[in-house]
Amino acid sequence: MSAVLRWTGIGKLISFYRHIQFSAPWTTTGSASMLVCGIGAIHLYLLSGNFGFPTYLNAYFALLSAAALLSAVGMLLGRRPGWGLGSLVALAAIAVYVASRTLGLPGLPELVSRWDDPLGTFSLALAVLLLFVHVSVVTGMNVAVPRRRDWHD
Amino acid sequence: MGTEKTRPESTVLSDRQKHRVTEQLRHEQTTCAGCGSGDFTVGQALYVGFLFLDEENGNYMVALTCNNPECPAPRTGITLHESAFLDVG
Amino acid sequence: MYELDFPVWIRITHWVNLLFITLLIRSGVEILGTHPKLYWRNDSKPGTEWARFTRKTMPTDKLYDTLDEEESYSSLVSMPGHKQLGLGRHWHFFSVIGWILTGLTYVILLLATGQWHRYWPYSWSIFPTAWHDLLTYLSFNLPPLLPGQPYDALQKLTYAFVVFVLAPFQILTGAAQSPAIEARFPRYVRLWGGRQAARSLHFFGLILFVLFIVVHVTLIAVWGWGMLTSLMIFGDVESRQWAIVLSLVIIAAVVAVHWAATKYTLRYPRRTQRALGAVVMGVRKWSLKPLVSKQNYSAAELSPEHRVNGKPPISDDYKIMAAHNFADWRLEVAGLVENPMTFTLQELQELSGTQTQRVLHNCVQGWSSIGEWSGVPLRTIVELVGPLPEARFLCVLSMQDSGRDEPSAPGQGQFYEIIDLSLARHPDALLAYEMNGGLLPIEHGAPLRLRLENQVGFKMAKWIDRIEFVSDYSGIGEGMGGWREDNVFYDKNVEI
Ligand SMILES: [Zn+2]
């Protein structure tokens, strides 16, 4: 395995990741909270738009939107659980969307294979980006408020 | 001229500190490379511990001027650690 | 309506552009790696960087310099890689000349042939159409092409943005990092928010170009690799099978050029330096070299902490001289002059016509700081000694022995730099013995350093003790025009 990494240069590219660090706590936190708000807004739109979804799904949309808002506020206040909640929102959005297009949701068999939904693709993209930002904070590529970099040089 | 100009890296020594440098010179039997005299006037101390790669932290280059009027190279110096001549505490 | 096909010049410039833009990206990463930190403020104050691409940390109890901070990146991402800033610069500047010429040819032919219609937004409706196209892409479908045109609305806007906004943006932010341009047009640099903001923006431009290339190639594959490469190779869609093969051959050829150029550069750095340098310095001679400094920063803009490069001489002679405030130091000026002269520091300080300049200092590695320097104009010394008619260059010699004093730079021997006699006569060429109103600090070159405000920092020799007028420098060192030129393949005239 390590020989493959070395020979292909992929190992070098992975180690290159550790050479990238940013000092932009507010940009990081701000973009993550905007991403999670974006996911929340899409689900709020689905809830409020009278699309005739089953009750359990509307309840899920309401729950997800509320969680997204809570997460954004938590992040901006510098609370770490806000980030965990944000990632849960992203994972749930991805899981339910993918499930609805593959396995099918109760009462909504017509959504299976309907990948041609721009709003769905967009919310998937937001969720993946949010997970990426969270991972970057966990791995130290980014810092989120209230933390700051302590670089002297 | 009269008053000594001080470089940003240099410290003006008090009489007590100069005296300790002189004691060190006597103790180490330091003599002038130019004329062999052992009689020096102690000048400023230049902190070299930070700027020079080969120096340990806390080292100073203390300026010495040979008091022999015939000396061909009167301006010399000695490297001392701060503990040897700066007042501690 | 003009037929927006793919004439041969579009096809050629497209593939030539591919070569130059990829060379620019890799050599750009090499340049970034030499000072792997990005700032917003001109002073590049340690710890204020918003991004860093290094894991090194510097000591707090010992003088370090930016040579210690340099990173050695793999040749996979940088050209040539392995901490070769000088060669990376040669490739960057050589490629940018080729890239600008390609771009100019393209734009001129666009205008001359009517092909500019392919980028012209005929109505505001292109924006809602582009938005609709985006939604179509998001639903994993392909939007319709604009009537009579080769692109959909989103593609048209994107290509127009890359050609007419992003490419000029990279050229302009790149130029804003040239010390000659910064010196002559200080307000131009302020326009970008300063030297470091320009460098950061240049980095964003790099990211956008990389993103564009990724999306562009992906969409070529989605729309039909055979059809589109056939258009871009043969100008029609008749030979799709051949186009698939040929497009891969072209891409392989570009990769091969990169590979061979990298190998050659690392194996024959001197030949690369000479060959690329001849082109690059030829262009600089008429473009950047004539620029004279017009900058005068305010005292409030002085950097509280001016970064340094290069370490002071560790010889006892130097330390003793410094402890005595350089009373025994002498500046010898000799060589091809009528009156060879020797100056003490006091004699230099007492020469009439002391000059003070508050200027932006550009390190070759990319950092900057603002400092105030006072001293004797170099032209005063030139006039005093009177160069003989055959004198053409000044060899400025330092007390630094780089092999001994600077472990982070490969190479041996006494530090020196060659400057043109014409540059020595520039009004802003200065032999400085004061900085920010006090005596010149040791790490900044005490007792005497050179200031050349339209050059990058390494030309401004520090710890000077001798200036020699010469007619030719091919016999000095390796004959490349300075210690850095000899040992790390920098270019002799560095207006950028
Ligand atoms: Zn003596």
Side-chain angles (χ1 to χ4, degrees):
Chain A
M1 182 63 185
S2 64
V4 173
L5 287 182
R6 195 166 344 114
W7 212 80
T8 53
I10 292 170
K12 274 184 189 167
L13 283 179
I14 293 173
S15 73
F16 203 76
Y17 170 87
R18 303 189 310 134
H19 281 76
I20 304 174
Q21 292 181 304
F22 300 100
S23 170
W26 276 109
T27 310
T28 305
T29 310
S31 34
S33 53
M34 268 163 62
L35 287 168
V36 79
C37 281
I39 299 171
I42 289 170
H43 287 84
L44 202 62
Y45 165 77
L46 294 174
L47 175 68
S48 61
N50 273 328
F51 297 103
F53 290 121
T55 317
Y56 77 89
L57 203 58
N58 279 329
Y60 156 75
F61 290 155
L63 190 67
L64 202 74
S65 310
L69 186 65
L70 196 63
S71 154
V73 171
M75 286 178 195
L76 292 172
L77 291 177
R79 304 286 162 79
R80 191 174 284 189
W83 285 86
L85 186 60
S87 276
L88 278 181
V89 167
L91 286 171
I94 294 171
V96 172
Y97 185 78
V98 171
S100 71
R101 265 66 184 175
T102 51
L103 306 172
L105 296 178
L108 288 167
E110 67 271 25
L111 287 183
V112 172
S113 303
R114 285 295 307 277
W115 294 101
D116 58 340
D117 177 1
L119 202 58
T121 314
F122 187 59
S123 73
L124 274 186
L126 293 185
V128 169
L129 279 176
L130 177 60
L131 289 175
F132 178 79
V133 176
H134 190 181
V135 167
S136 80
V137 171
V138 170
T139 55
M141 181 197 263
N142 275 303
V143 286
V145 287
R147 279 195 60 206
R148 311 175 114 254
R149 292 288 191 194
D150 184 24
W151 289 337
H152 73 271
D153 212 0
Chain B
M1 293 297 285
T3 53
E4 289 175 295
K5 255 192 254 168
T6 311
R7 297 202 52 75
E9 305 86 357
S10 286
T11 314
V12 177
L13 298 185
S14 66
D15 288 345
R16 186 183 137 75
Q17 290 164 333
K18 287 182 179 175
H19 181 68
R20 289 191 65 188
V21 174
T22 312
E23 278 179 353
Q24 283 283 329
L25 294 171
R26 201 167 300 151
H27 180 72
E28 293 178 22
Q29 299 187 329
T30 309
T31 53
C32 173
C35 68
S37 154
D39 183 18
F40 298 102
T41 302
V42 179
Q44 299 177 348
L46 180 85
Y47 187 59
V48 291
F50 178 76
L51 288 171
F52 297 91
L53 279 186
D54 61 334
E55 298 282 358
E56 280 171 36
N57 283 346
N59 276 4
Y60 282 78
M61 174 63 77
V62 182
L64 302 174
T65 308
C66 176
N67 287 331
N68 174 6
E70 255 102 75
C71 182
R75 278 185 280 262
T76 179
I78 183 171
T79 307
L80 289 176
H81 192 262
E82 57 188 2
S83 59
F85 70 103
L86 285 184
D87 307 302
V88 186
Chain C
M1 183 81 213
Y2 191 88
E3 194 193 350
L4 294 169
D5 56 358
F6 289 80
V8 66
W9 59 267
I10 283 193
R11 291 178 260 146
I12 291 174
T13 49
H14 171 268
W15 295 109
V16 172
N17 178 53
L18 169 64
L19 176 64
F20 282 129
I21 194 77
T22 47
L23 285 173
L24 279 170
I25 289 170
R26 279 183 64 229
S27 56
V29 173
E30 178 79 50
I31 295 172
L32 179 66
T34 188
H35 189 68
K37 295 167 187 183
L38 292 168
Y39 313 84
W40 291 117
R41 289 203 302 270
N42 272 334
D43 57 12
S44 318
K45 186 169 176 261
T48 64
E49 62 270 26
W50 65 266
R52 53 190 283 152
F53 309 106
T54 175
R55 293 181 70 75
K56 289 185 181 179
T57 52
M58 296 293 121
T60 50
D61 58 351
K62 204 79 186 168
L63 178 71
Y64 65 89
D65 60 23
T66 47
L67 288 170
D68 301 322
E69 301 180 75
E70 188 169 9
E71 273 289 348
S72 173
Y73 291 159
S74 156
S75 297
L76 281 177
V77 290
S78 61
M79 169 132 191
H82 309 289
K83 217 178 183 175
Q84 287 289 356
L85 170 63
L87 296 164
R89 282 166 51 86
H90 283 302
W91 276 111
H92 204 65
F93 300 139
F94 174 79
S95 306
V96 83
I97 293 168
W99 188 62
I100 288 176
L101 289 178
T102 310
L104 278 179
T105 309
Y106 177 77
V107 171
I108 288 169
L109 285 170
L110 272 187
L111 297 176
T113 61
Q115 287 281 354
W116 53 270
H117 286 282
R118 64 173 58 228
Y119 298 126
W120 189 254
Y122 283 98
S123 98
W124 291 109
S125 73
I126 192 165
F127 291 101
T129 313
W131 171 250
H132 199 261
D133 290 350
L134 178 66
L135 296 182
T136 313
Y137 279 117
L138 283 177
S139 61
F140 300 108
N141 286 306
L142 295 177
L145 299 184
L146 292 166
Q149 298 192 42
Y151 313 129
D152 64 53
L154 191 58
Q155 285 171 325
K156 180 165 172 157
L157 287 178
T158 308
Y159 288 133
F161 172 80
V162 170
V163 173
F164 295 107
V165 179
L166 185 55
F169 176 82
Q170 280 306 74
I171 295 167
L172 294 172
T173 50
Q177 298 177 69
S178 148
I181 289 175
E182 288 161 31
R184 175 63 185 79
F185 307 105
R187 289 173 63 180
Y188 174 72
V189 188
R190 274 174 220 265
L191 189 76
W192 295 104
R195 165 71 168 80
Q196 293 308 319
R199 185 166 177 256
S200 291
L201 292 172
H202 201 61
F203 173 78
F204 286 132
L206 161 77
I207 299 297
L208 284 183
F209 259 114
V210 171
L211 280 179
F212 169 77
I213 292 171
V214 169
V215 174
H216 175 66
V217 172
T218 308
L219 284 184
I220 295 295
V222 169
W223 274 90
W225 190 275
M227 175 184 73
L228 291 176
T229 54
S230 179
L231 277 174
M232 203 40 105
I233 293 172
F234 300 111
D236 56 49
V237 291
E238 305 304 315
S239 331
R240 300 183 188 194
Q241 304 294 329
W242 275 114
I244 289 175
V245 175
L246 256 172
S247 63
L248 296 178
V249 168
I250 293 173
I251 291 168
V254 169
V255 173
V257 169
H258 272 262
W259 182 81
T262 306
K263 282 275 171 203
Y264 186 91
T265 302
L266 291 173
R267 184 170 299 176
Y268 304 108
R270 184 72 73 213
R271 286 187 212 168
T272 310
Q273 177 190 23
R274 283 187 200 275
L276 299 181
V279 177
V280 171
M281 286 205 276
V283 173
R284 279 185 212 163
K285 194 168 269 180
W286 55 262
S287 57
L288 295 173
K289 206 175 168 204
L291 301 177
V292 176
S293 175
K294 295 249 165 116
Q295 50 190 332
N296 191 12
Y297 286 85
S298 72
E301 289 169 289
L302 291 176
S303 302
E305 192 174 338
H306 199 294
R307 278 184 176 273
V308 291
N309 213 334
K311 297 192 186 76
I314 62 170
S315 69
D316 279 344
D317 284 350
Y318 178 81
K319 292 175 199 161
I320 291 170
M321 224 161 31
H324 286 280
N325 211 359
F326 297 102
D328 280 340
W329 171 87
R330 298 289 179 276
L331 173 69
E332 287 181 59
V333 187
L336 300 172
V337 292
E338 282 167 12
N339 326 300
M341 292 178 83
T342 301
F343 301 87
T344 65
L345 188 53
Q346 198 181 345
E347 284 165 351
L348 285 177
Q349 287 163 343
E350 284 166 1
L351 283 176
S352 64
T354 307
Q355 184 170 312
T356 297
Q357 50 212 42
R358 273 194 293 266
V359 289
L360 182 63
H361 177 95
N362 283 265
C363 178
V364 67
Q365 292 181 276
W367 56 266
S368 61
S369 295
I370 297 175
E372 179 188 283
W373 310 91
S374 305
V376 199
L378 187 50
R379 63 179 192 281
T380 305
I381 304 291
V382 172
E383 280 155 24
L384 281 173
V385 297
L388 295 172
E390 59 268 36
R392 288 182 57 214
F393 306 100
L394 277 71
C395 178
V396 184
L397 290 132
S398 167
M399 292 179 272
Q400 186 200 46
D401 179 322
S402 289
R404 177 194 65 192
D405 301 327
E406 187 53 89
S408 289
Q412 297 299 320
Q414 185 181 12
F415 191 89
Y416 76 98
E417 286 296 336
I418 305 279
I419 62 167
D420 295 354
L421 182 52
S422 58
L423 185 56
R425 289 187 161 127
H426 261 231
D428 48 285
L430 188 74
L431 287 170
Y433 46 72
E434 283 186 14
M435 177 190 184
N436 294 349
L439 288 170
L440 185 64
I442 288 174
E443 72 262 35
H444 288 289
L448 194 68
R449 71 166 299 167
L450 191 55
R451 294 295 315 170
L452 302 165
E453 306 308 350
N454 68 350
Q455 303 277 307
V456 300
F458 77 88
K459 289 306 279 190
M460 307 181 207
K462 302 193 263 193
W463 311 289
I464 298 172
D465 68 349
R466 189 175 167 83
I467 297 174
E468 188 136 2
F469 286 67
V470 296
S471 60
D472 175 45
Y473 56 85
S474 58
I476 303 175
E478 302 276 322
M480 298 307 295
W483 192 94
R484 294 272 169 94
E485 290 87 332
D486 289 344
N487 291 282
V488 287
F489 312 105
Y490 289 1
D491 19 15
K492 175 179 155 280
N493 297 325
V494 275
E495 291 86 15
I496 188 162

